[in-house]
């Protein structure tokens, strides 16, 4: 029986990509060595990096005046790098609080500047995106930061905030490449790799040219976006293997029909899932319908005493890593790009059967 991995990250990768990795692992394109053993400054790896950027640009239709950085740091490092690089002498920044990850960014930013929490859904238990009309944006803020898909809380922005002249900075880690995005609406987009991009060990930054200024004096050299762009993401040895796998994932997405096709599949999978949750009195989703994530679906069993039994039986049915994050409990099904429709169908069939037996 085929196994399906619902982990939030490191997450399931397309089987086709893993097979390609396996095939080429010992002998990359007939060069007689593994891609892991290529010099990062040699023409072969430089070719891989350039192709990865070209494919990413194609997929997202990234405008000419934006640079792409392949960063060795995880998404968390950007919570420091953003203020260090974007404050540019200003003392204030706006942050939107919508759940666990946006809050982590806020905590970190407080080390560098006065953080204005321009909107928060804390009083709604992080179950609904705050309405734009209630945001108290500061026109003198250096930037506005938000997280467009809260991986733990299961909340997704299905719209893009309008922030006027203040650059919009977004953590897209957990729904990057899940649908088309008008990059030109953002000052900067960042995303960790281990969901829709590839294995852990990489994050991507897409940043508008005019925001690329030298970082605050004293910033570690690896944390300067300006420096990384000048060095073509090679201020030091980049995670070459991870970048290669990411490049294979980009090509896989292109073969699927690009981001518009990904969106159709992701809608289909998540619509099916939420319809099943809404029909059932046994399982429930706490998130407001209009703000539900198409990637990360947290849900609870009516009787939490059944949680361990559910997880054990799911695993016996090859439905893996469904335990919810420790801060919210319950279950979470992450259904990123690489999760096939059959995986969602298999999980829903198991859930219906479990409900019949214990409901
Ligand atoms: N932001 C979001 C939305 C995330 O989901 C995660 C990790 N799951 C992070 C940031 C942190 O990423 P990393 O562990 O790569 O630093």
């Amino acid at each position: 029986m085929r196994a399906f991995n619902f982990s939030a990250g490191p997450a399931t990768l397309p089987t086709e990509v893993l097979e390609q990795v396996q095939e080429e692992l010992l002998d990359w394109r007939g060069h007689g060595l593994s891609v892991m053993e290529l010099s990062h400054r040699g023409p072969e790896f430089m070719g891989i990096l350039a192709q990865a950027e070209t494919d990413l640009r194609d997929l997202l239709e990234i405008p000419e005046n934006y640079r792409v950085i392949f960063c060795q740091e995880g998404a968390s490092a950007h919570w420091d790098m953003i203020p260090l690089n974007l404050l540019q002498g200003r003392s204030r920044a706006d942050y939107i609080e919508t759940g666990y990850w946006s809050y982590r960014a806020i905590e970190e930013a407080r080390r560098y500047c006065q953080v204005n929490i321009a909107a928060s859904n804390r009083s709604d238990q992080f179950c609904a995106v705050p309405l734009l009309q209630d945001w108290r944006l500061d026109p003198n803020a250096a930037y506005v930061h938000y997280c467009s898909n809260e991986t733990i809380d299961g909340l997704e922005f299905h719209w893009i905030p309008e922030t006027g002249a203040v650059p919009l900075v977004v953590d897209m880690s957990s729904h990057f490449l899940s649908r088309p995005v008008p990059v030109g609406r953002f000052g900067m987009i960042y995303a960790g790799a281990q969901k829709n991009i590839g294995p852990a060990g990489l994050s991507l930054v897409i940043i508008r040219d005019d925001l690329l200024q030298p970082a605050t004096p004293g910033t570690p050299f690896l944390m300067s976006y300006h420096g990384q762009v000048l060095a073509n993401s090679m201020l030091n040895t980049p995670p070459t293997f991870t970048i290669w796998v990411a490049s294979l994932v980009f090509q896989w997405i292109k073969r699927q029909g690009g981001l518009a096709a990904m969106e159709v599949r992701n809608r289909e999978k998540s619509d099916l899932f939420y319809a099943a949750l809404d029909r059932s009195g046994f399982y429930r989703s706490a998130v407001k319908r209009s703000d539900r994530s198409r990637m990360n679906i947290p849900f609870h069993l009516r009787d939490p005493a059944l949680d361990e039994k559910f997880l054990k039986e799911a695993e016996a049915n090859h439905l893996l890593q469904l335990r919810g994050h420790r801060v919210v409990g319950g279950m979470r099904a992450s259904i990123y790009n690489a999760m096939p429709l059959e995986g969602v169908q298999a999980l829903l069939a198991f859930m219906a059967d479990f409900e019949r037996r214990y409901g």
Side-chain angles (χ1 to χ4, degrees), residues 282 309 313 317 350-359:
F282 187 77
K309 196 185 285 288
E313 288 197 17
N317 283 278
F350 163 75
M351 286 168 64
D353 182 56
F354 190 87
E355 177 172 354
R356 252 191 310 279
R357 287 182 289 119
Y358 298 102

Side-chain angles (χ1 to χ4, degrees), residues 8-10 73-79 100-102 104 147-152 171-175 190-195 200-203 296 325 332 336:
E73 300 82 5
S76 317
H78 297 283
W79 303 332
Y100 182 85
W101 293 112
S102 52
R104 293 287 307 275
C147 173
S148 51
N149 188 72
E150 288 281 5
T151 323
I152 292 175
D171 176 356
M172 277 194 191
S173 293
S174 48
H175 70 163
Y190 68 103
Q194 63 272 22
K195 293 124 180 10
L202 175 74
S203 59
N296 309 98
H325 192 275
R332 174 174 49 172
Y336 298 116

Side-chain angles (χ1 to χ4, degrees), residues 55-63 172 176-177 179-183 189 206 259:
D55 288 335
L56 185 71
R57 284 187 170 275
D58 282 357
L59 283 170
L60 279 164
E61 296 178 14
I62 300 177
M172 277 194 191
F176 192 64
L177 302 180
R179 52 177 155 109
V181 165
V183 173
I189 297 171
I206 302 169
L259 298 187

Side-chain angles (χ1 to χ4, degrees), residues 18-65:
L18 291 177
E19 284 167 353
Q20 201 176 344
V21 169
Q22 189 176 39
E23 218 167 276
E24 297 190 55
L25 196 65
L26 297 186
D27 184 6
W28 179 75
R29 293 197 185 166
H31 281 66
L33 44 70
S34 170
V35 72
M36 279 185 264
E37 301 164 314
L38 287 172
S39 159
H40 61 293
R41 302 211 185 265
E44 294 87 1
F45 180 74
M46 297 287 267
I48 290 172
L49 185 65
Q51 190 62 49
E53 176 167 344
T54 302
D55 288 335
L56 185 71
R57 284 187 170 275
D58 282 357
L59 283 170
L60 279 164
E61 296 178 14
I62 300 177
E64 281 290 308
N65 60 327

Side-chain angles (χ1 to χ4, degrees), residues 97-226:
E97 183 184 41
T98 47
Y100 182 85
W101 293 112
S102 52
Y103 181 68
R104 293 287 307 275
I106 289 169
E107 276 192 319
E108 208 55 29
R110 285 192 169 125
R111 289 147 50 85
Y112 305 97
C113 63
Q114 199 182 316
V115 169
N116 171 40
I117 300 185
S120 170
N121 60 356
R122 184 172 284 273
S123 61
D124 284 335
Q125 281 79 47
F126 304 122
C127 285
V129 168
L131 298 176
L132 188 60
Q133 70 215 40
D134 299 329
W135 294 21
R136 295 171 315 280
L137 295 170
D138 171 359
N140 292 313
Y143 56 85
V144 180
H145 178 280
Y146 78 116
C147 173
S148 51
N149 188 72
E150 288 281 5
T151 323
I152 292 175
D153 309 272
L155 215 65
E156 180 169 359
F157 277 76
H158 296 289
W159 48 278
I160 298 171
E162 179 49 60
T163 56
V166 180
L168 187 57
V169 174
V170 63
D171 176 356
M172 277 194 191
S173 293
S174 48
H175 70 163
F176 192 64
L177 302 180
S178 68
R179 52 177 155 109
V181 165
V183 173
R185 296 278 302 275
F186 298 90
M188 175 182 148
I189 297 171
Y190 68 103
Q194 63 272 22
K195 293 124 180 10
N196 270 339
I197 297 173
L202 175 74
S203 59
L204 292 181
V205 168
I206 302 169
I207 183 165
R208 210 172 60 212
D209 273 345
D210 61 291
L211 299 175
L212 281 168
Q213 304 296 329
T216 304
T219 299
F221 79 105
L222 286 174
M223 302 191 96
S224 159
Y225 296 137
H226 183 250

